[in-house]
Each structure stands twice: as C-alpha cells, then as structure tokens.
Amino acid sequence: MIARAASEIGLDRVTMKAVAELLGVSVAGLYHHVEGRDELMRLGGEYSAAQIPVPVDQGQHWTAWLLEWAHFVHGAFVAQPPLLGQFLSGSIGIERMATQMEAVLSVLTRQGFSAGDAIQAYGLVNDCALGAAVSEIRQIGARRTGRQLSAEYHQILADQASDAFPNLRKVGDGTKLGTRDVTERILTVLIGIATRRGEPWEPILDLADTSSEPEPSIGMLHP
C-alpha cells in the first residue's frame, strides 16, 4: 500500500506527509514502516517499474512485439523522470522486472531465439528505449526552464567563423541532434538483431508505418 501510494503521488512530489495523508495514517505511524523519503522513492520506483504494461502476445512477429514493449518502457520513464534516476542508481532490482523479462523471453524463445540471444535482445531494446527517454526528458526540462535549444544551437554557429563546424551546419535544426524518434531508434536496433540472426530486415521498416507510441502518462503505469 505504501509503495502504491508513493507511485500514485509521483516520485517527484512524494513526501512522508503526502503518503501518510493518502493512506489516512499519521506521519509517525508511517515511520514504523519506512525510514524516510529515500525509502519511499525506492518503493515507489519499484512499484512503478513493475507496473509497466507488457504487450499482448497475439502471435505478432517478435520485432513488432519488441517495438511495442520499447514504447511502453520509453513512455513510462518519460512520464516519471525520477523513475529513471531510481533505475540508474540501482534502486530497482531485477526481481521487480521479472514478470516483464519473462514475458519478453517467452515471446522470443517461441520464435526461435535461444534464451541467451533473447536476453541480449531484451537488453539492447531496453537500453535504446531508455536512451531515447533521456533525450526526451532533457528536451522537456530545457523547455520548462525557458531554454530554446534550437536558438542556442544557431547562436553557437553564428558566433563562429563560417567555415567552423561544417558538419554541424549540415544537420540543420539543432533540436534534432540526438533526439531521433524513438521508433526509428528501435527499428535500427531490431534491424541489427534480425541481420545477425540471418532474417530479412526489410519488412521491419514497414513497422514505422503501423507503429504509434502511446502518450506518456503516469496513469499508464497503473492497472
């Protein structure tokens, strides 16, 4: 109940007082169960991570299933940036992700992956989704502080000689630096996995036309 309450409040707003009020207990009573806000953050992070939805296995190709999973992971971390901090700090143990990991491995092994290859594919897709989340969270944070990354980018180029940074000048809009669409990133990873497996990679490109990423929301983390 404490973990769920911390997750529902939001890891960026959770306090002992807020959790106590949501549960209808005293702050002193809450201290009998947790040591403080840091433990609330850990418990809330573990609960949120465990609630990341698993795509329904409808017999779709493993690439389509993994792309959907990547969207869920990306959306969950964008919705709660502090969750990423909990994950990176090691506060969220593997046991909290066991259900999701088993679901991924089940889908992949049924489609010819060895358990070892399946866990490697899972790790690659997860890492890519997390990297995309970091880029998006950074963009969101910059906008909230009033920074215009595109303007900063163009100002940097304007302050230099016209022949400086020739390749950066070819990029165009600086806001696109390192912020490629999450679907495009994941498709690149999936193409690499398929190629190593000796499978045709061209059909994977068609997933870009059928895929739609869910809007990030804290609500998606709860059943």
Side-chain angles (χ1 to χ4, degrees), residues 11-196:
L11 301 184
D12 56 340
R13 300 182 302 277
V14 68
T15 62
M16 294 291 287
K17 183 175 184 294
V19 171
E21 289 180 349
L22 183 59
L23 295 177
V25 300
S26 67
V27 172
L30 186 58
Y31 269 110
H32 284 295
H33 301 280
V34 294
E35 295 180 354
R37 185 172 187 271
D38 287 347
E39 188 171 2
L40 286 179
M41 292 279 289
R42 177 182 64 78
L43 292 172
E46 288 183 342
Y47 183 88
S48 294
Q51 302 308 309
I52 296 175
V54 176
V56 177
D57 182 7
Q58 299 175 326
Q60 65 269 52
H61 195 264
W62 61 266
T63 53
W65 197 96
L66 280 179
L67 179 58
E68 188 175 353
W69 163 252
H71 281 159
F72 283 140
V73 172
H74 172 265
F77 283 97
V78 170
Q80 288 206 67
L83 180 60
L84 184 61
Q86 292 290 303
F87 184 83
L88 295 177
S89 69
S91 298
I92 301 175
I94 286 182
E95 68 275 8
R96 297 301 179 183
M97 303 293 291
T99 298
Q100 291 92 335
M101 292 175 65
E102 180 61 28
V104 174
L105 298 183
S106 295
V107 169
L108 297 185
T109 54
R110 280 200 297 273
Q111 298 195 40
F113 282 71
S114 68
D117 287 345
I119 198 68
Q120 184 178 47
Y122 165 82
L124 287 170
V125 170
N126 249 24
D127 289 349
C128 189
L130 289 173
V134 169
S135 294
E136 187 164 341
I137 290 169
R138 179 177 179 274
Q139 292 283 340
I140 293 172
R143 289 196 296 269
R144 285 177 177 169
T145 58
R147 294 177 58 202
Q148 296 293 329
L149 296 185
S150 178
E152 292 179 10
Y153 168 79
H154 289 295
Q155 186 61 53
I156 290 172
L157 296 183
D159 291 342
Q160 302 297 320
S162 60
D163 59 349
F165 304 126
N167 291 306
L168 278 178
R169 294 179 187 277
K170 294 176 182 178
V171 172
D173 187 348
T175 60
K176 298 187 183 302
L177 291 176
T179 60
R180 295 170 67 188
D181 177 74
V182 61
T183 297
E184 185 178 350
R185 294 187 184 199
I186 299 300
L187 291 184
T188 300
V189 172
L190 296 177
I191 287 171
I193 296 172
T195 300
R196 291 192 64 178

